[in-house]
Amino acid sequence: MAHPAGKGRRLKLDTLLGSRPLRYAAATLILASACGGALVVSSRSGQAVSALPALSVQGINGNHSAGGPEALIFRTLNEVSNKRLDVSISEIDKVIDTYPNFRLAHLIKGDLLLAHARPLTTVGNAPGAPSDRLEDLRDEARARLARIQQQRPVDLVPRYLVQMQPGQRYALVVDTAKSTLFVFENHGGEARYVADYYITIGKNGIDKFKEGDKKTPLGVYHVTGSIPRDKLYATYGKASELYGIGALPISYPNEWDRRQGREGNGIWLHGVPFDTYSRPPRASDGCVALTNEDFEVIAKYAKVGVTPVIITHGVEWASADAAKALRADIAQSIENWRRDWESLDTGKYLAHYAAGFYAGKADLAQWSEQKHKVNAGKAWIKLKLDQVSVFSYPGRDDLVV
């Protein structure tokens, strides 16, 4: 297979520049155990990006984190930084044994073998390797190494998960900026972190607007279907191999998307082709792709027509107390609306609606006229709400659904 990889990066610690394996470690990332285990990964622009110094792999991918790909790669590169080249090869072999089609792992092993023969100044030292594939694997290395340093949100919740109704046992939150899908479980309407998984998004990034733009949408959606591998093949034939083991379509475009003029369809969560373990961070036509192994787990969490899928570019986290306060505030607003409707005070009831409101083809003025007519003929109104879910919209402080 081709041997893709990444640009050379200069290590700031002169003592680490003297050996071949450590030049390679520097070319991949900076692992400075003398600096409290700080990890610095270079971006495409070449600028060093420093992440959290505290490293913990126990929260990644739930219970099997210690044997997950990010943890195994981290251990490999740590051995490189410790001048233990043979041990690092042994570590990367563990990755390949566990994930035989993991192209990034094969890339790293190829470099480590080459290190016996000549100095390595870049990641991906095979001559003639396609530059686009090299850059894709560099991006995956950066994303995965950044993921291993993420603080797991054990005591935090995404501010979008304001309230989950009892039937919504799980919620999926996709962070396109971190190449990560988070799973949260519903505990009495409150969200609690379960696990997270590496993901791929659209080739052209985020903020989908039209059909074929190869971008991933941002917003609040839900799972609308479940398509197993055999049904994918029956429908799409050989082309179904792109989706791997299965797919979960989601509700893009939603009502808000349509109001904004956003178009397109066919946004799914799905697997990857069987000849690879994973895909680079930006490689899909707009869908969210996971490894087939991870997709199987995610599919068990998902319930068609029920499970919310929130896609955001950078998760806004909130403490449990802040989330509870927001939930109470919105619940009170909904209760005020319900109470005012029951009161038959139509003016008071209509005060809850925005100037830009419309229902179907009726704008606020037409809606108001209709409501005055309907309420004038009523002696009483009783309104009960149940199974209420509330989600704040990514990127908006003034919109909940």
Side-chain angles (χ1 to χ4, degrees):
M1 64 176 290
H3 179 45
K7 286 184 179 179
R9 284 126 181 130
R10 302 179 69 86
L11 191 59
K12 295 180 181 178
L13 302 179
D14 292 340
T15 56
L16 296 183
L17 285 171
S19 69
R20 291 175 182 174
L22 285 176
R23 286 196 200 102
Y24 175 74
T28 313
L29 63 156
I30 301 171
L31 282 169
S33 54
C35 299
L39 180 65
V40 181
V41 184
S42 292
S43 65
R44 280 181 183 259
S45 66
Q47 182 180 3
V49 180
S50 180
L52 297 169
L55 299 180
S56 173
V57 300
Q58 297 305 313
I60 300 176
N61 290 359
N63 293 329
H64 63 278
S65 60
E70 282 107 354
L72 292 172
I73 287 175
F74 178 81
R75 286 204 290 269
T76 297
L77 295 173
N78 193 49
E79 294 300 343
V80 173
S81 73
N82 289 327
K83 302 183 181 182
R84 289 153 52 103
L85 189 58
D86 290 340
V87 177
S88 69
I89 292 175
S90 176
E91 288 293 333
I92 202 65
D93 279 340
K94 293 177 185 177
V95 184
I96 294 171
D97 287 345
T98 307
Y99 309 99
N101 294 329
F102 194 4
R103 293 174 182 174
L104 178 59
H106 285 280
L107 160 74
I108 293 171
K109 181 173 182 180
D111 277 349
L112 295 179
L113 292 174
L114 283 173
H116 286 291
R118 58 184 173 86
L120 303 177
T121 58
T122 68
V123 177
N125 287 261
S131 60
D132 57 341
R133 294 190 63 196
L134 290 173
E135 197 59 55
D136 282 345
L137 286 180
R138 292 181 198 127
D139 286 345
E140 182 172 353
R142 294 182 192 109
R144 288 188 175 277
L145 290 169
R147 272 179 41 74
I148 201 171
Q149 294 183 99
Q150 291 177 22
Q151 296 281 2
R152 266 51 210 176
V154 177
D155 299 318
L156 299 173
V157 296
R159 75 167 184 88
Y160 325 109
L161 301 179
V162 179
Q163 180 171 306
M164 298 165 65
Q165 55 105 327
Q168 292 172 322
R169 185 174 178 188
Y170 296 102
L172 309 179
V173 177
V174 175
D175 186 346
T176 59
K178 301 289 187 182
S179 300
T180 297
L181 182 151
F182 294 94
V183 179
F184 288 86
E185 188 171 9
N186 183 358
H187 285 259
E190 300 179 7
R192 293 186 187 173
Y193 169 77
V194 175
D196 59 87
Y197 303 88
Y198 169 83
I199 54 111
T200 294
I201 63 167
K203 294 181 180 73
N204 293 329
I206 56 168
D207 209 18
K208 184 173 185 62
F209 196 82
K210 62 182 180 180
E211 181 78 24
D213 62 9
K214 300 185 186 302
K215 292 184 177 182
T216 299
L218 303 178
V220 177
Y221 307 100
H222 64 270
V223 175
T224 59
S226 178
I227 313 175
R229 182 183 179 186
D230 57 350
K231 187 174 286 188
L232 283 170
Y233 184 81
T235 305
Y236 301 101
K238 189 172 179 59
S240 67
E241 294 177 5
L242 177 66
Y243 310 116
I245 202 162
L248 296 169
I250 64 172
S251 57
Y252 175 87
N254 61 25
E255 177 64 23
W256 183 249
D257 291 323
R258 287 189 287 270
R259 292 192 181 199
Q260 303 302 304
R262 298 183 186 275
E263 301 173 347
N265 55 63
I267 299 298
W268 297 353
L269 310 181
H270 62 71
V272 296
F274 290 97
D275 65 350
T276 187
Y277 172 68
S278 61
R279 299 175 70 185
R282 290 190 177 190
S284 80
D285 288 338
C287 295
V288 175
L290 302 99
T291 70
N292 289 317
E293 175 185 53
D294 291 344
F295 178 83
E296 284 190 292
V297 177
I298 294 299
K300 294 175 182 177
Y301 292 127
K303 186 175 180 181
V304 175
V306 175
T307 301
V309 180
I310 297 173
I311 308 178
T312 181
H313 191 64
V315 175
E316 294 181 59
W317 299 102
S319 67
D321 288 343
K324 186 177 293 186
L326 178 61
R327 182 163 54 254
D329 184 51
I330 293 176
Q332 186 60 58
S333 295
I334 294 172
E335 171 56 22
N336 292 343
W337 167 81
R338 187 203 66 80
R339 186 189 60 226
D340 290 343
W341 193 352
E342 280 193 343
S343 74
L344 287 176
D345 184 335
T346 307
K348 201 171 182 182
Y349 162 70
L350 290 172
H352 292 278
Y353 291 82
F357 170 85
Y358 65 86
K361 295 182 179 180
D363 62 15
L364 181 59
Q366 293 166 321
W367 170 265
S368 298
E369 182 180 358
Q370 175 65 15
K371 282 297 178 183
H372 278 290
K373 289 179 181 178
V374 170
N375 286 356
K378 292 185 178 294
W380 55 269
I381 294 175
K382 292 295 181 184
L383 180 65
K384 180 181 178 182
L385 301 176
D386 60 12
Q387 305 295 310
V388 176
S389 299
V390 180
F391 305 108
S392 63
Y393 216 83
R396 298 287 301 249
D397 293 328
D398 59 348
L399 180 64
V400 297
V401 297

